[in-house]
Amino acid sequence: MTALSPLEQKSTEESPQTEHHEDHRLFGLTAFLVADGMTFAGFFAAYLTYKAVNPLSPDAIYELELPLPTLNTILLLISSATFHRAGQSLKRNEANTCQRWLLITSALGLAFLISQMVEYFTLPFGLTDNLYASTFYALTGFHGLHVTLGALMILIIWWQSRSPGGRVTKDNTFPLEAVELYWHFVDGIWVVLFIILYLL
Amino acid sequence: MTIAIPPDRNDSSKSLQPKGWLKYFSFSLDHKVIGIQYLVCGFIFYLIGGGLASAIRIELTSPLSDFMARDVYNQVLTLHGTIMIFLWIVPVVNGAFGNYLIPFYVGARDMAFPRLNAVAFWLIPPAGLMLISSYFITGAAQSGWTAYPPLSISTPAAGQIIWILSVLLLGGSSIFGGINFIATIIKLRRPGLKLLQLPMYCWAMLGTSILVVLSTPVLAGTLILLSFDIVAHTGFFNPTLGGNVIVYQHLFWFYSHPAVYIMVLPAFGLVSEIIPVHCRKPLFGYITMVYSIMAIVLLGLVVWAHHMFTSGTPPWMRLFFTIATAFIAVPTGIKFFNWVATLWGGKISLNSAILFSCGFIINFVLGGITGVALAQVPFDVHVHDTYFVVAHFHYIVYGGSVFVIFSSIYHWYPKFTGKLLNEKLGQLHFLLTFIGFNLCFAPQHWLGLNGMPRRVAEYDPQFQLINQISSVGALIMAISTIPFLWNVVYSAIRGPKSGDNPWRALTPEWLTSSPPPVENWIGEAPLVTQPYGYGTHRNENEDLSSNEAGNVREQS
Ligand code: HEM
Ligand SMILES: [Cu+2]
């Protein structure tokens, strides 16, 4: 079998490609997050254009309340910090501490989602009421979807970093690092969203 | 930091793959298998898209819509455009040749993320089948490949939604592919190989992938909003609900102008590989080529509104986008002159590969000239949405990209199969394609200048003769596929053996057996620092065997 020979060769020979394989997954993830960020950028651009060229009549304008979204911003910023702590604990091989921080992080994420739901239910406008209502729900909804996904992934990491028996350990930090990167990204997007949607 | 990957993880999954031709129907992780999968899958879609094009040209032989109903014509037109762009040219110039060649060029055994790579490919067939089956089940989308609202909101919803879903899948596939190419080119280079020693196709793919990653997600977001408009009756792009159609156009073209470069930049790269081999000269102006590609990437992101000059764009915007578009002609022109200078005084063997490459150069320069003309507002206002635009972009996407795909197939077929193609049939194929193509599309300039609108099944009878000439051209193009298909199928079975390096090429993919072993090289990958070192003293040696060539490179 000619097709097999290189494989046999490989196990005996030490070539730079096979022996030391750098881990490029975080690099790939970063590229993916750039792409994801561009989706948000498209939405933001659309929203800002609407604001500039399709103004609502003054009586249709609804000023968004700030307290809840401000709380949300704080929740997410804290959760970024707690996630960071979880990562540090894992590197120090303190599985229990790491798990505790992860749990706190996902709880913060959950709190964010609940408070977002509360906001949705108290708002006087629905998805199809007008252009701004639609854009508002599209943007916050798309972001909320990201938070939901992130919170779920954090719970998976939490389960996988249990000791003993978990797969996420000091020697395999990639899953945690990946979700952490993603989580910081989602938080960063929220800050931009908060400024553009609520403050501008 | 380098970490040791458990060595048998990838290998075991690889050796579990089926052997022989069955492997092309499996979830293979081998970049070469995936490349061929892209190529063959894309070609099947090309035949379908070509069938649709023939239907269009038959309809247009008479001024009345007598061959098919008008709404069927709209569906055929939409499917034709969508298939040719998203299922043929984009997957083939990027996915097929990129997957096959890039790992060789960077001296790696596979792409950076083999599993993601396989996923990216396997998104394509279901997306394509979904798109095509919508024609039979619900009726396909009718709003053209651009899906402009309010047309896309007011035509039957089911087909449009399926169209959106399949374009989203194809966009996802394209993004995964792009991430993989960037990671492979930046991170997987063999030790000792510098970026500026890479073959030009790597640069083209790096630039293209940057465009893919930056612009495709915007299309995805836009189409999601559009689907809300259709399904949930929001009003993002629906003027009757206070929405704004122009915003759709901006977002769409923010993707789709870069998309035209996603279709043509890789073709630039492929031509830059093919020409030096067959005229035995180094690629002229390597560094300027690299800078041109990067300039095209940057400028390509800021010219999109030249598609919207008649959409009520304000004067400052027209001015800006006209100037930016005119600037793109500079790096593009540099590349054109570099290819010509590469050919100049070379020992050209006029085989099928170089014929198609030269055909590309000729067609592309014509399409580029009409492009610059279209970027001038006073002119564009007259010919926008006429057959002049149709002629322009077919000169680029067919005369450019498709010619390059054929050139590449003639060039790399021995690599893929270890067999030689029949040269006479190849030249016949070129002759028919070149004549058919120009006969089909050159008259369309005239149609457009005289005011025949695009995307309509019926037209003013004064245009009938020219339309019939164009249809004859289309017929010749259809016929030209026959010698090609016969050639590739027959040669795969009966063709003479090619040997490992029939073109005596110096780029790394030739410095191994043809077809190559599973992990590309037996032993270490050669270090190729001068992929275009033709005509230098050592390489003049006519019967340099592939291994010797590798050694020469390694010493230099
Ligand atoms: C040399 C540089 C180029 C210039 C200056 C240029 C300019 C233009 C302009 C101004 C239009 C809009 C015409 C109109 O709709 O009224 C246009 C349309 C188009 N161009 Fe180009 N172009 C260039 C290269 C390309 C390339 C490289 C491709 C593809 C590989 C391409 C593909 C297209 C397509 C597909 C359309 C029509 C889109 C549609 O409305 O369906 N162009 N071009
Ligand atoms: Cu354009």
Side-chain angles (χ1 to χ4, degrees):
Chain A
M1 277 300 294
T2 48
L4 269 181
S5 54
L7 286 180
E8 289 163 5
Q9 191 93 16
K10 210 185 130 192
S11 50
T12 54
E13 202 183 295
E14 299 194 351
S15 71
Q17 282 80 21
T18 52
E19 266 311 290
H20 295 287
H21 208 305
E22 271 185 75
D23 192 350
H24 304 304
R25 288 174 294 181
L26 278 180
F27 180 85
L29 179 65
T30 312
F32 178 78
L33 292 179
V34 170
D36 203 10
M38 285 307 292
T39 320
F40 279 103
F43 288 161
F44 289 141
Y47 173 78
L48 292 173
T49 317
Y50 288 142
K51 229 172 133 79
V53 298
N54 292 45
L56 282 181
S57 61
D59 53 307
I61 292 179
Y62 175 79
E63 283 292 331
L64 292 163
E65 303 280 352
L66 278 182
L68 220 47
T70 311
L71 172 73
N72 274 349
T73 313
I74 296 170
L75 285 177
L76 279 191
L77 288 179
I78 298 178
S79 77
S80 256
T82 54
F83 208 145
H84 186 66
R85 295 297 289 269
Q88 287 180 324
S89 313
L90 188 70
K91 289 204 185 90
R92 286 198 301 268
N93 212 1
E94 296 162 0
N96 288 336
T97 331
C98 168
Q99 273 201 303
R100 201 174 61 232
W101 284 119
L102 282 176
L103 214 54
I104 295 175
T105 312
S106 73
L108 286 166
L110 233 51
F112 171 89
L113 287 172
I114 292 170
S115 125
Q116 178 90 56
M117 281 322 234
V118 172
E119 188 190 17
Y120 279 5
F121 283 115
T122 52
L123 285 174
F125 53 83
L127 173 67
T128 55
D129 278 9
N130 60 44
L131 197 53
Y132 292 90
S134 307
T135 330
F136 173 84
Y137 283 113
L139 265 171
T140 52
F142 193 55
H143 178 264
L145 202 68
H146 279 75
V147 177
T148 315
L149 266 179
L152 283 176
M153 288 194 292
I154 295 174
L155 285 178
I156 296 174
I157 301 285
W158 168 74
W159 174 245
Q160 285 294 354
S161 59
R162 71 191 184 276
S163 171
R167 284 199 297 153
V168 177
T169 60
K170 186 174 183 295
D171 301 318
N172 181 24
T173 54
F174 169 73
L176 186 135
E177 281 177 294
V179 179
E180 184 178 347
L181 186 62
Y182 171 83
W183 193 254
H184 293 323
F185 164 78
V186 173
D187 291 352
I189 292 286
W190 173 262
V191 174
V192 180
L193 190 155
F194 179 67
I195 294 171
I196 291 183
L197 220 53
Y198 291 91
L199 299 186
L200 280 191
Chain B
M1 185 188 78
T2 59
I3 59 158
I5 281 218
D8 48 66
R9 200 188 58 194
N10 285 328
D11 300 348
S12 63
S13 52
K14 239 172 222 171
S15 53
L16 282 179
Q17 304 291 326
K19 296 275 164 344
W21 59 274
L22 266 181
K23 66 174 178 266
Y24 293 108
F25 292 89
S26 73
F27 190 79
S28 175
L29 302 185
D30 183 341
H31 70 100
K32 299 182 289 300
V33 175
I34 296 179
I36 302 293
Q37 285 174 327
Y38 267 109
L39 184 60
V40 174
C41 174
F43 197 81
I44 292 169
F45 283 118
Y46 172 62
L47 293 180
I48 298 172
L52 294 164
S54 311
I56 293 174
R57 281 320 317 170
I58 292 172
E59 168 64 69
L60 293 177
T61 48
S62 76
L64 294 176
S65 66
D66 37 18
F67 180 65
M68 43 188 158
R70 291 172 198 161
D71 62 332
V72 176
Y73 182 86
N74 291 345
Q75 297 178 31
V76 167
L77 181 97
T78 304
L79 285 179
H80 163 72
T82 313
I83 288 174
M84 289 303 197
I85 291 172
F86 292 112
L87 288 159
W88 157 241
I89 297 187
V90 172
V92 170
V93 290
N94 291 277
F97 294 107
N99 271 303
Y100 202 100
L101 298 174
I102 294 290
F104 282 110
Y105 285 174
V106 300
R109 293 188 192 274
D110 209 318
M111 297 283 288
F113 312 112
R115 218 161 260 124
L116 183 70
N117 204 16
V119 170
F121 168 72
W122 282 107
L123 284 174
I124 291 180
L129 288 179
M130 201 163 89
L131 183 73
I132 292 165
S133 57
S134 75
Y135 177 84
F136 300 101
I137 299 167
T138 60
Q142 295 194 32
S143 53
W145 83 280
T146 50
Y148 268 18
L151 198 56
S152 48
I153 302 174
S154 49
T155 44
Q160 194 65 52
I161 287 293
I162 297 179
W163 183 89
I164 290 176
L165 281 179
S166 61
V167 174
L168 285 178
L169 284 179
L170 296 168
S173 157
S174 179
I175 294 174
F176 291 154
I179 292 172
N180 224 332
F181 287 126
I182 295 178
T184 307
I185 296 168
I186 304 268
K187 292 285 186 180
L188 237 54
R189 282 196 319 283
R190 178 199 194 292
L193 187 59
K194 297 191 186 63
L195 270 176
L196 281 175
Q197 295 167 338
L198 289 174
M200 194 51 63
Y201 184 56
C202 290
W203 284 101
M205 283 307 295
L206 186 63
T208 309
S209 303
I210 292 172
L211 284 177
V212 166
V213 167
L214 291 180
S215 66
T216 316
V218 176
L219 175 75
T222 313
L223 292 183
I224 290 171
L225 294 186
L226 184 64
S227 66
F228 275 125
D229 276 6
I230 295 172
V231 178
H233 303 290
T234 52
F236 296 111
F237 308 128
N238 190 344
T240 56
L241 298 177
N244 190 332
V245 289
I246 305 297
V247 172
Y248 177 90
Q249 296 188 9
H250 277 296
L251 293 174
F252 178 83
W253 288 113
F254 182 80
Y255 163 73
S256 289
H257 180 80
V260 306
Y261 286 103
I262 294 169
M263 291 187 271
V264 91
L265 269 184
F268 288 177
L270 292 167
V271 165
S272 307
E273 301 308 332
I274 296 168
I275 290 179
V277 176
H278 297 283
C279 71
R280 315 308 298 167
K281 273 183 62 194
L283 184 66
F284 188 90
Y286 178 94
I287 294 285
T288 57
M289 289 284 227
V290 172
Y291 285 133
S292 308
I293 289 175
M294 290 307 153
I296 289 177
V297 168
L298 284 180
L299 285 171
L301 284 168
V302 293
V303 297
W304 73 87
H306 63 216
H307 296 271
M308 301 167 53
F309 286 147
T310 59
S311 306
T313 35
W316 66 266
M317 212 186 252
R318 289 176 158 192
L319 189 67
F320 173 82
F321 283 100
T322 293
I323 293 175
T325 307
F327 266 116
I328 281 211
V330 175
T332 314
I334 291 177
K335 299 191 72 83
F336 165 75
F337 285 115
N338 280 346
W339 292 316
V340 175
T342 308
L343 284 166
W344 200 268
K347 270 204 309 204
I348 304 175
S349 29
L350 267 187
N351 53 29
S352 322
I354 201 117
L355 282 174
F356 270 102
S357 280
C358 292
F360 153 84
I361 296 179
I362 295 166
N363 297 330
F364 180 77
V365 94
L366 292 171
I369 289 171
T370 53
V372 177
L374 283 170
Q376 313 310 312
V377 180
F379 180 69
D380 185 65
V381 169
H382 287 284
V383 294
H384 173 68
D385 260 347
T386 69
Y387 262 83
F388 193 87
V389 175
V390 177
H392 156 66
F393 69 75
H394 279 91
Y395 262 84
I396 306 243
V397 285
Y398 197 103
S401 303
V402 179
F403 269 62
V404 172
I405 292 173
F406 283 129
S407 177
S408 305
I409 292 176
Y410 284 105
H411 182 73
W412 278 291
Y413 189 87
K415 187 81 253 170
F416 299 160
T417 61
K419 303 285 178 61
L420 283 174
L421 284 169
N422 182 307
E423 191 50 41
K424 285 264 148 15
L425 279 176
Q427 291 176 4
L428 176 68
H429 175 213
F430 169 75
L431 213 64
L432 288 174
T433 316
F434 192 75
I435 294 172
F437 166 77
N438 279 292
L439 196 60
C440 181
F441 291 107
Q444 294 184 3
H445 292 112
W446 191 89
L447 287 175
L449 286 171
N450 283 276
M452 177 170 162
R454 62 191 281 212
R455 292 183 169 164
V456 285
E458 299 179 348
Y459 54 85
D460 191 319
Q462 61 158 313
F463 298 129
Q464 183 167 18
L465 179 65
I466 308 287
N467 267 299
Q468 284 171 341
I469 295 174
S470 175
S471 292
V472 171
L475 178 70
I476 299 176
M477 285 162 83
I479 294 172
S480 77
T481 329
I482 297 171
F484 173 74
L485 270 178
W486 168 261
N487 202 355
V488 289
V489 173
Y490 182 86
S491 304
I493 306 164
R494 291 277 158 77
K497 288 221 172 354
S498 64
D500 286 345
N501 191 354
W503 313 127
R504 293 173 292 114
L506 297 177
T507 39
E509 82 275 25
W510 296 102
L511 309 182
T512 180
S513 61
S514 295
V518 173
E519 299 231 311
N520 296 353
W521 286 281
I522 298 184
E524 218 177 298
L527 176 60
V528 180
T529 53
Q530 288 177 311
Y532 305 112
Y534 302 101
T536 55
H537 183 60
R538 276 299 291 271
N539 301 320
E540 276 298 77
N541 190 345
E542 288 290 299
D543 31 41
L544 212 65
S545 86
S546 59
N547 275 343
E548 280 171 284
N551 293 336
V552 171
R553 303 272 58 90
E554 228 161 340
Q555 285 150 13
S556 59

